[in-house]
Amino acid sequence: MPLTREAVELLVQAARALYFEGNQHGLRDREWMALRFLGRANRFSRTPTALAGFIGATKATASQIVKTLEKKSYLSRKPSHEDKRSVVLCVTAQGEKCLSQHDPINHVLNAVASLGTEECIKLRDSLSRVLNHLDATHQRLNASICRDCMFLADRGPATGKGRATAEFICRLYRAPIALEETELLCTSFERTGDRPKINEQTDRERVAGQV
Ligand code: SF4
């Protein structure tokens, strides 16, 4: 038990980079969390409702955060291709630059990357199992990447023009998913027990690219 406690205390200390008083580079911690999420989310999750769920805020608070990020030109709204009544929140080039240069968690990313690929994969898998356990005891996982989701399926052999770029299909949204989209976060994610669809080489490429 002392070892368990020590591990959890270290985890909490690492997570402190996420929460702070006041602001860093003009954004409060929740605004950073929102910008970071929107920079990594797929097209189904870049909505005000999904954002509110991810950051654990009311829709009114999430809407205020979106306005702040828009004012700073870090975010823009575009009509959704999936649902004409909704909007998709898109991180602008300026927002991406701000994330890459000033995101408070960049120090943690660099520290984890310095562990090397194998350790990084082990850490990812261990934390993933911990979160699965929390998920099973009622604290649901907020979001994870498409490639590990039970709704992701192979699309089958290409037969038409539009199929060249869509290797997969989402069985929940009944929509095509391109290979590069399988690395993005989704708030409708449901974990699958196996990981057969995309080979482990992608893990190594992700660690190398620190994505
Ligand atoms: S396959 Fe899963 S993670 Fe991917 S878009 Fe569909 S619900 Fe979201």
Side-chain angles (χ1 to χ4, degrees):
M1 199 62 176
L3 180 62
T4 311
R5 183 171 289 278
E6 193 183 336
V8 172
E9 284 166 356
L10 289 170
L11 194 58
V12 170
Q13 283 184 48
R16 278 192 195 144
L18 289 166
Y19 304 101
F20 48 84
E21 292 291 323
N23 68 68
Q24 288 191 22
H25 295 279
L27 296 180
R28 290 174 298 154
D29 51 4
R30 252 188 181 178
E31 291 158 355
W32 273 114
M33 193 183 288
L35 186 60
R36 190 181 303 127
F37 169 71
L38 293 170
R40 283 271 294 132
N42 69 9
R43 64 192 195 273
F44 308 109
S45 299
R46 290 200 306 268
T47 65
T49 305
L51 174 66
F54 183 80
I55 64 175
T58 61
K59 283 187 190 167
T61 303
S63 166
Q64 194 53 49
I65 289 173
V66 167
K67 278 185 195 153
T68 302
L69 295 174
E70 280 181 312
K71 255 189 217 161
K72 290 180 178 286
S73 304
Y74 294 158
L75 215 56
S76 66
R77 292 171 202 245
K78 292 185 180 161
S80 165
H81 292 304
E82 322 296 329
D83 177 357
K84 299 292 174 214
R85 294 161 302 175
S86 326
V87 292
V88 176
L89 303 169
C90 300
V91 175
T92 61
Q94 206 168 327
E96 280 173 14
K97 189 174 168 195
C98 177
L99 277 168
S100 89
Q101 292 184 343
H102 304 300
D103 187 344
I105 73 157
N106 286 349
H107 301 300
V108 183
L109 283 178
N110 292 337
V112 172
S114 73
L115 296 174
T117 303
E118 298 304 324
E119 286 300 315
C120 200
I121 290 171
K122 275 191 217 164
L123 179 64
R124 189 276 315 270
D125 290 345
S126 298
L127 289 173
S128 193
R129 284 199 295 277
V130 170
L131 286 174
N132 275 350
H133 187 72
L134 292 176
D135 195 27
T137 53
H138 310 301
Q139 295 194 37
R140 290 190 53 75
L141 192 62
N142 284 322
S144 195
I145 55 170
C146 213
R147 68 193 284 260
D148 297 337
C149 177
M150 63 181 284
F151 296 119
L152 189 70
D154 281 322
R155 188 157 186 177
T159 56
K161 265 188 176 174
R163 295 203 165 189
T165 55
E167 290 94 324
F168 301 96
I169 188 156
C170 167
R171 289 181 288 124
L172 180 69
Y173 289 108
R174 296 169 191 248
I177 305 284
L179 180 63
E180 58 272 19
E181 289 180 292
T182 63
E183 296 298 315
L184 302 179
L185 291 173
C186 179
T187 52
S188 301
F189 166 92
E190 290 284 346
R191 187 167 297 282
T192 180
D194 51 331
R195 309 176 128 205
K197 298 175 186 87
I198 302 170
N199 68 37
E200 281 207 350
Q201 181 58 28
T202 315
D203 272 345
R204 288 163 216 294
E205 288 165 5
R206 287 164 68 205
V207 173
Q210 292 183 34
V211 290

